[in-house]
Amino acid sequence: MRTVYLYHLLYLLLLVVHPSSVSSWKRDEFRNCNQTPFCKRARSRKPGSCALIATDVTIADGDLTAKLISKNPSQEDQEPIKPLILTLSAYQDGILRLKIDEDPTLDPPKKRFEVPDVIVPEFLNKKLWLQRVSKETIYDDSEYSSVMYLSDGYEAVLRHDPFEVFVREKGGKRVLSLNSHGLFDFEQLRVKNEEEDWEERFKGHTDTRPYGPQSISFDVSFYGADFVYGIPEHATSLALNPTRGPEVEDSEPYRLFNLDVFEYIHDSPFGIYGSIPFMISHGKARGTSGFFWLNAAEMQIDVLGSGWNGESSILLPSDQNRIDTLWMSEAGVVDAFFFVGPWPKDIVRQYTSVTGTLALPQLFATAYHQCRWNYRDEEDVENVDSKFDEHDIPYDVLWLDIEHTDGKKYFTWDRVLFPNPEEMQKKLDAKGRHMVTIVDPHLKRDESYYLHKEATEKGYYVKDATGKDFDGWCWPGSSSYPDMLNPEIRSWWAEKFSYKNYVGSTPSLYIWNDMNEPSVFNGPEVTMPRDALHYGGVEHRELHNAYGYYFHMATADGLVRRGDGKDRPFVLSRAFFPGSQRYGAVWTGDNSADWDHLRVSVPMILTLGLTGISFSGADVGGFFGNPEPELLVRWYQLGAYYPFFRGHAHHDTKRREPWLFGERNTELMREAIHIRYMLLPYFYTLFREANMSGIPVVRPLWMEFPADEATFSNDEAFMVGNSLLVQGVYTEGAKHASVYLPGGQSWYDLRTGTVCKGGATHKVEVSESVPSFQRAGTIIPRKDRFRRSSTQMANDPYTLVIALNTSQAAEGELYVDDGKSFEFEKGAYIHRRFVFSDGKLTSSSMSQSFHGKSQFSSDCIVERIILLGLSPGAKSALIEPANREVEIGLGPLHLRGGRSPPVLTIRKPNVRITDDWTIKTL
Amino acid sequence: MKMKIQHVSFLAFMFCIVSIGGSASTPSKSQLEGIAPGDEKYYKASPDTIKCKDGSKKFTKSQLNDDFCDCLDGTDEPGTSACPNGKFYCRNAGHVPLSLYSSRVNDGICDCCDGSDEYDGKEGVTLRKREVEAAKLAVVKEESELSKLKNEEKILKGLVQQLKERKEQIEKSEEKERLVKEKEEKEKKEAEEANVEKSNFVEEANSQEGKLAESTNEEKIEILENSQSDQDVIQDYDDSVGEIAHFHNSGNGGSLNSSAEQENGDYADRAAKTEEESSVTYETGRDHGTEVLPDHGTELEKYASGNTESLSREELGRLVASRWTGENTGQQTGGVDAANDDDHESHEERPKDVQDEEYQGYDSETEDDSQRDDDDTKDLVEDFGDEDHGDSSSPYKSESDDELDLSEKTTSNPSWLEKIQRTVRNILEVVNLFQTPVNTSEAAHVLKEYDESSAKLSEILSRISRLTKKLKHDFGPEKEFYSFYNKCFESKQNKYVYKICPFKQASQEEGHSTTRLGNWEKFGDSYRVMQFSNGDTCWNGPDRSLKVKLRCGLKNEVTDVEEPSRCEYEALLSTPALCLEEKLMQLQDKLDLMKKEQPQSHDEL
């Protein structure tokens, strides 16, 4: 008996102590759908319950406009429903915009919030002015429908009764539709009845809800879709699992509500730091389409598994491979965009034509960042910096977390720990390195703090429901939050970054915005109360998800102004919203040092890329907890391919700089970081591609192989650009990994040069690195010399790695500019296309000609050209126009790393990257 | 190949230029670059081919240091950055030789004291750019400082005036008091003499009066002390530093952070807070040893039972914050929290006494630092300056000490003026109530404050005039000569030591006698010459003058001084400030033209 008892006790203790057995995520601190009245209500509505019909269809200002009215007007027990105004507009490249709002002429109690400064101004110039609308009777409708032109292959249809909007291929198959299941509902603002109680209570917090219910919900269907993707940020799979339907047990919808979630779990539809209400569908049958709802209030989105509506659906041929979704938002208006694709890259191009493409980062920002909460003082900083040199590990940026400040008052320094911040930065700068300090939106309510004083006097803080400055608790204790919705306040904030105002800052200092969801420790769900008031009487509930975006925007603007518009800003933000890509990088927040978080980082980053945010990464090593050396090594090996590559750690964790885990592990982590530096020219070229076209730096396999079904739900591997495939190793003690290599062409192992067939799964040895392959038919530019930081690599020569496909051809690109200024916008860059065919490599310029504007020149040369898959026989090569012969011999594939197989190498062609030339193998 | 040859010969050409003055022992780029002396015979052993040291392959002599990596172990590229695994041997003339990672070769950063790892000519351009950036920043900073100082001057002048009036008032009343006393004594004497009989009565009265005066004095001192101690809490930095020490002495090992924060935080608040409370609130993990405090424990219990609603807003804020800061989570979740586990782990690995030692170290540093705040900062600034600009011709700072001193005082501590203002206001308020007899401690206070303020004022005035003077100078089209302002360059030529202080003066020293070669006049020849004129008069000749010709070089260095015609001196100063990209390109173009081996391949247009 006794032993059994002891056994049990021991077991219990084990259970209690084992860290992974218990999640510390405070689930009940956050509202689920049932505790959220608008969500509960929308979810319980029956299909077909929408009784609106479209009338008064006309063309005004080049748009189609209509009124939505109730089909069965004035039932006695109900208030009469006022008509809603609907507008449909077509934009270039197959984009349909749908707006639905209350009729402003009917005097609503309040203007509903439309999110400003997200849509780029250029987009509005792309509007197609509608000339006419044709009429057509579809199905057995009693009313006809209005059909409008969208693009050469597509048209938009407004079905009057029942009300429905859809996009179809010209006269043919449906692509996307809204309200096909009659779930559309629009709660109009109204005057409160005496007996009504509009307040909502949660966990001791009361939301006064002075304007009452105002939610909007509707269903959206994607046709010819095998999967849907997007709507970050969630820690979950890339292909979104259904949240409702016959096979789904009691699940929450995907929630979009920016929250600072302590120790978020690795697989949950729960909302975390950022929100992008943009969903993409992809399927073998049709390709790709997308739907974006510009709305900053809390949103909940259900992905409905097939059969979710039981028998009630009418089976049409187009219903095959249809995915239905339900979108619910607490406030705002309908401002939705339909994108027709038809291919994955079209979708991101179309979406980023609305919200903007990635701002081109400075070159240094694409290299490795070293962070920790906290590098304690100047001595610590100097020590860490010199250790990198001692171990010949490059890094570009050293980060300082909140402890560097004087009492968590941002823009100040703890003068005991950091007496000479300028000198410290200059020392780093002398090695071509940079520093980043943290600046959060919560300002300490301390009368002696100049920012607080100023913000108070000028009335720049967000107000609480009673109109007083909102007072919440964050790192510094009692804090207030500048109202970033107001452009004047953003401008004021931006000025705080001038060298004069930010005492102790130098030109090599850049910024990190954390806690901008905003995080409020003593607020409901660790954020700001929804009835807090912003500029223009906007309620916090209406703009919550965009608060961090405006903060990010103002900070980035501050850095641009600081450098007289000559220096590209770098600002990392935790919260984000559509358009954040224009202001800097984001990271996936406070993850944990476990294998699951390593694994989920890939779908999270891929999803961000799909929704425009190309410059993202996860904390390498995991923020909370101590990673085992093996996990840390694996994380570096994967992280080296994240667009944003930063090591970071919580202050209670042990130090984990790459040299602290024995020689072997140091070697592996150094190697991983070196790979990133070696590939910087390739990465930078990809960042430029994202800057021009919106196509993300890292991509799901299906973006490059849209017809290969095996890739559609693969989120353990990903593409870096169109040439590299990388897969992490996500399990402990793995010696081998199974890697699916898509497409019909072969792949070359990045480390060994071994050829692998495409369209097959391969068992790959992974003891020294993670699987990484170059796709046949591509050319990757590298820099094989290693330096302390990317800065010193500027003049180093290039290596081109040409991986030939079955027709002995390949092509690639190289983009180079000064790496920091905006001169590239005026044409100061080099953009080359390399094409190899018929035994000849040609370099030609891709830059558009800019006459007499800015120019960028470089003396860089190509020192080595590696030819993978070339039929044997070539002994030398002829360079034209110089008419010079160079030798082809066997050389190493990699200059680092012990075992490097000999590969065909053109030795010292020494052609300038700025020049046109050809190199012919003889 | 041609490109490369041109490149190398261009480099050689650059070296010729740089070493004309015969300044440093710049090594020519020989094939044996970067090879350790003991290793040279390995490379010289066989006539044409050399083996990679790892035995992997062979390479020809022409492949040695040809800037292309043939051996993975770097055997063939000891003098270039081509092989990542290579090592560069740095002779480091005059010092201990070093073995550098190949990644340091020609990366624009000097790692060898003899500069041999940076033989590429582009370095100067980089240095110049850096100099220009730094200068621009510094000028902006100084300009803003100047306007700030001027503003402060205005305020301070007002204060000094007020204090002066007060001082005079005090002096006047003291005088009055003295006269009254004298008069009294005189009267007393007269009375004594006149009326001996009444003496008893008079004595009694006098003693009573004295008592009265005493008691009012006491009261007043108390008032004054109170107000002073309030002030101390608000503004006295040293006191809070004292408190840091106190925290440590009381055994609260890691509270440096919290007390440091407090020191800058809301002092009125702080007074109300207990020490324990604050260490929980503000502590952010440096304090692993903090015990769970009873009242916090109940908070946590409340929380664990799901009853956060009964927490105050502040308690809730602190509680949520404590999750990230990793405190007391043990109670919260019964010891299951991962972070908490880690906490324990780290305790095992890092024994507490190590931390304590660390923090004790900080402790004393902190104390010293802030006590000698100004001196220290100055030292550091100087140290850094030396590191940054230190080179063989040993430029040194001229008359910069007091400048930096004040600039630190005034810029690093923006609130000193407020402090003075507040102090003065308090004094004036207290002293306003004064009546005769004058309280001596009050008077001393006013006098002290007056003296200090006027000293400060004159300090500011002189800083203003120095700054104004400095900023009037022309530091070049891109301010590239800014850093010259506080520098002097020396060169020893035979028995003479020449000392050139740009923007100031130049001199020639022989033993203890100094001859002035001239005062700063201006830049000439589009900033390629510095002119000094009106030096000591030559016997039977003109006033001495000096022309300093400038040219591109990696260091600031006077390489040559001559006297081509009597009393007209000429010196050569090499400096990165003259390293212009265009210049380098022009040189290269010239060279290319000379070669005429192939049509020019200009940059893509």
Side-chain angles (χ1 to χ4, degrees), chain A residues 359-369 397-399 434-437 497 507-513 552 555-560 562 567-573 582-587 615-616 643-646 687 819-820 822:
Chain A
L360 184 61
Q362 293 208 24
L363 176 64
F364 83 80
T366 69
Y368 176 62
H369 300 251
V397 192
L398 200 117
W399 291 54
H434 300 76
M435 180 163 260
V436 166
T437 51
F497 292 90
S508 64
L509 184 76
Y510 294 87
I511 302 296
W512 171 16
N513 286 164
H552 194 190
T555 304
D557 182 38
L559 293 191
V560 174
R562 173 188 86 162
D567 190 53
R568 290 178 225 162
F570 171 76
V571 184
L572 177 75
S573 170
R582 310 204 297 270
Y583 303 106
V586 307
W587 92 109
F615 196 12
S616 68
F644 175 64
F645 181 25
R646 180 184 77 155
F687 274 100
K820 25 180 186 246
F822 287 101

Side-chain angles (χ1 to χ4, degrees), chain A residues 16 29 377 389-390 392 406 408 420 423 625 650-651 785-788 792 832 884 907-908 912, chain B residues 1 66-67 70 101 103-105 107 111 261 264 284 303 323-324 336 362 380 384 603-604:
Chain A
V16 165
E29 223 165 86
D377 54 18
D389 288 344
E390 201 177 294
D392 206 19
D406 171 6
K408 317 291 187 300
N420 298 300
E423 311 303 330
H650 185 272
H651 68 44
R785 301 190 182 195
F786 299 121
R787 300 299 193 177
R788 266 175 271 235
Q792 290 94 31
R832 311 296 301 180
R884 194 150 52 87
R907 201 177 175 280
K908 293 174 84 172
R912 284 157 55 99
Chain B
M1 262 341 243
D66 71 339
D67 207 21
D70 293 289
Y101 292 116
S103 62
R104 313 291 199 257
V105 179
D107 69 344
D111 292 279
E261 262 167 38
N264 301 298
T284 47
Y303 185 72
R323 288 178 194 153
W324 276 272
V336 293
Y362 272 114
L380 280 168
F384 188 75
D603 293 345
E604 189 187 31

Side-chain angles (χ1 to χ4, degrees), chain A residues 300-540:
Chain A
Q300 301 263 10
I301 302 167
D302 265 320
V303 174
L304 306 168
S306 60
W308 63 276
N309 50 354
E311 301 294 311
S312 71
S313 80
I314 319 133
L315 260 179
L316 296 166
S318 60
D319 286 347
Q320 279 178 351
N321 287 331
R322 191 195 68 220
I323 295 180
D324 299 323
T325 56
L326 174 62
W327 299 60
M328 309 161 257
S329 171
E330 190 189 1
V333 298
V334 177
D335 189 1
F337 298 78
F338 300 72
F339 305 104
V340 299
W343 296 112
K345 289 181 185 177
D346 299 322
I347 284 294
V348 291
R349 197 189 60 242
Q350 286 156 4
Y351 169 76
T352 53
S353 76
V354 178
T355 60
T357 57
L358 180 76
L360 184 61
Q362 293 208 24
L363 176 64
F364 83 80
T366 69
Y368 176 62
H369 300 251
Q370 183 65 40
C371 187
R372 175 177 181 83
W373 178 18
N374 211 84
Y375 286 119
R376 197 175 46 216
D377 54 18
E378 286 176 7
E379 197 189 339
D380 197 5
V381 166
E382 195 167 333
N383 200 17
V384 170
D385 177 69
S386 65
K387 284 279 184 192
F388 272 97
D389 288 344
E390 201 177 294
H391 293 276
D392 206 19
I393 301 173
Y395 88 98
D396 267 61
V397 192
L398 200 117
W399 291 54
L400 294 181
D401 208 324
I402 50 175
E403 312 297 336
H404 83 276
T405 58
D406 171 6
K408 317 291 187 300
K409 289 176 285 192
Y410 304 104
F411 302 98
T412 70
W413 300 84
D414 183 327
R415 288 284 173 175
V416 175
L417 303 176
F418 295 92
N420 298 300
E422 282 136 328
E423 311 303 330
M424 171 176 63
Q425 291 157 51
K426 277 179 199 154
K427 281 185 197 171
L428 291 177
D429 185 53
K431 291 185 187 171
R433 291 175 177 150
H434 300 76
M435 180 163 260
V436 166
T437 51
I438 196 164
V439 173
D440 291 353
H442 48 259
L443 300 185
K444 180 168 182 164
R445 296 189 59 82
D446 174 342
E447 296 307 323
S448 68
Y449 181 25
Y450 70 102
L451 268 183
H452 170 63
K453 246 173 96 179
E454 241 182 281
T456 310
E457 281 161 13
K458 291 175 184 281
Y460 278 178
Y461 283 134
V462 176
K463 307 289 184 285
D464 65 19
T466 68
K468 286 191 304 228
D469 284 351
F470 170 71
D471 179 348
W473 195 273
C474 208
W475 298 128
S478 174
S479 308
S480 289
Y481 298 71
D483 183 5
M484 290 298 167
L485 177 63
N486 184 341
E488 176 191 324
I489 300 174
R490 291 206 292 270
S491 179
W492 167 78
W493 181 255
E495 284 303 321
K496 300 301 163 208
F497 292 90
S498 73
Y499 298 121
K500 190 171 147 243
N501 287 335
Y502 189 172
V503 175
S505 68
T506 72
S508 64
L509 184 76
Y510 294 87
I511 302 296
W512 171 16
N513 286 164
D514 197 0
M515 316 296 279
N516 51 339
E517 292 75 24
S519 177
V520 180
F521 289 158
N522 58 354
E525 303 191 83
V526 200
T527 192
M528 200 174 269
R530 290 163 201 245
D531 54 7
L533 290 169
H534 293 260
Y535 171 61
V538 174
E539 280 193 286
H540 186 69

Side-chain angles (χ1 to χ4, degrees), chain A residues 95-325:
Chain A
I95 301 171
L96 176 72
R97 183 179 188 178
L98 165 69
K99 290 183 81 166
I100 301 174
D101 194 359
E102 296 183 34
D103 189 341
T105 60
L106 297 179
D107 218 16
K110 180 179 192 275
K111 189 187 173 323
R112 299 176 74 114
F113 181 63
E114 293 182 54
V115 197
D117 304 315
V118 169
I119 297 172
V120 294
E122 305 88 75
F123 174 72
L124 300 175
N125 300 331
K126 293 182 183 163
K127 193 169 106 166
L128 306 175
W129 286 69
L130 274 188
Q131 302 303 321
R132 59 190 181 86
V133 171
S134 52
K135 288 172 184 167
E136 182 186 317
T137 306
I138 55 171
Y139 313 125
D140 304 326
D141 287 358
S142 52
E143 282 280 333
Y144 48 77
S145 299
S146 302
V147 181
M148 65 182 257
Y149 171 90
L150 187 55
S151 73
D152 280 351
Y154 297 91
E155 47 201 11
V157 181
L158 170 65
R159 197 174 169 194
H160 297 191
D161 183 11
F163 159 60
E164 186 188 8
V165 174
F166 63 90
V167 173
R168 67 180 184 196
E169 288 171 15
K170 207 156 237 174
K173 282 188 276 182
R174 285 174 169 232
V175 177
L176 282 162
S177 69
L178 183 139
N179 201 32
S180 303
H181 298 280
L183 290 170
F184 183 88
D185 184 40
F186 195 115
E187 292 181 302
Q188 301 200 28
L189 293 167
R190 54 195 171 86
V191 182
K192 192 174 156 184
N193 293 332
E194 287 292 309
E195 69 275 17
E196 269 181 309
D197 177 14
W198 280 353
E199 287 189 353
E200 278 180 17
R201 273 160 290 267
F202 180 71
K203 287 260 152 192
H205 300 277
T206 303
D207 173 2
T208 56
R209 292 221 309 165
Y211 299 97
Q214 48 182 306
S215 74
I216 301 171
S217 54
F218 50 77
D219 56 280
V220 175
S221 301
F222 299 85
Y223 298 82
D226 295 334
F227 293 100
V228 288
Y229 311 87
I231 55 169
E233 184 173 40
H234 305 100
T236 188
S237 55
L238 175 67
L240 297 171
N241 292 316
T243 52
R244 261 169 76 194
E247 280 154 38
V248 184
E249 281 174 38
D250 188 36
S251 160
E252 286 291 304
Y254 292 102
R255 186 181 192 201
L256 291 180
F257 194 59
N258 294 2
L259 290 176
D260 181 5
V261 181
F262 177 72
E263 294 190 348
Y264 67 79
I265 52 172
H266 72 272
D267 187 14
S268 160
F270 200 83
I272 47 180
Y273 313 99
S275 297
I276 300 183
F278 172 45
M279 189 181 272
I280 296 169
S281 79
H282 182 70
K284 196 170 168 67
R286 217 290 307 178
T288 324
S289 50
F291 177 80
F292 165 47
W293 183 6
L294 176 54
N295 184 307
E298 177 181 1
M299 204 180 286
Q300 301 263 10
I301 302 167
D302 265 320
V303 174
L304 306 168
S306 60
W308 63 276
N309 50 354
E311 301 294 311
S312 71
S313 80
I314 319 133
L315 260 179
L316 296 166
S318 60
D319 286 347
Q320 279 178 351
N321 287 331
R322 191 195 68 220
I323 295 180
D324 299 323
T325 56

Side-chain angles (χ1 to χ4, degrees), chain B residues 542-591:
Chain B
D543 288 352
R544 284 181 174 81
S545 66
L546 169 71
K547 267 188 186 174
V548 183
K549 291 185 176 168
L550 303 171
R551 60 146 185 256
C552 165
L554 290 188
K555 301 174 202 167
N556 289 321
E557 193 169 41
V558 178
T559 52
D560 204 3
V561 186
E562 280 171 353
E563 194 179 341
S565 64
R566 207 164 77 85
C567 295
E568 288 176 6
Y569 295 80
E570 272 189 8
L572 215 51
L573 175 67
S574 67
T575 167
L578 265 262
C579 297
L580 289 155
E581 214 149 7
E582 302 85 64
K583 282 276 145 47
L584 281 174
M585 270 151 71
Q586 276 172 18
L587 280 174
Q588 183 159 31
D589 284 348
K590 240 181 231 170
L591 211 82

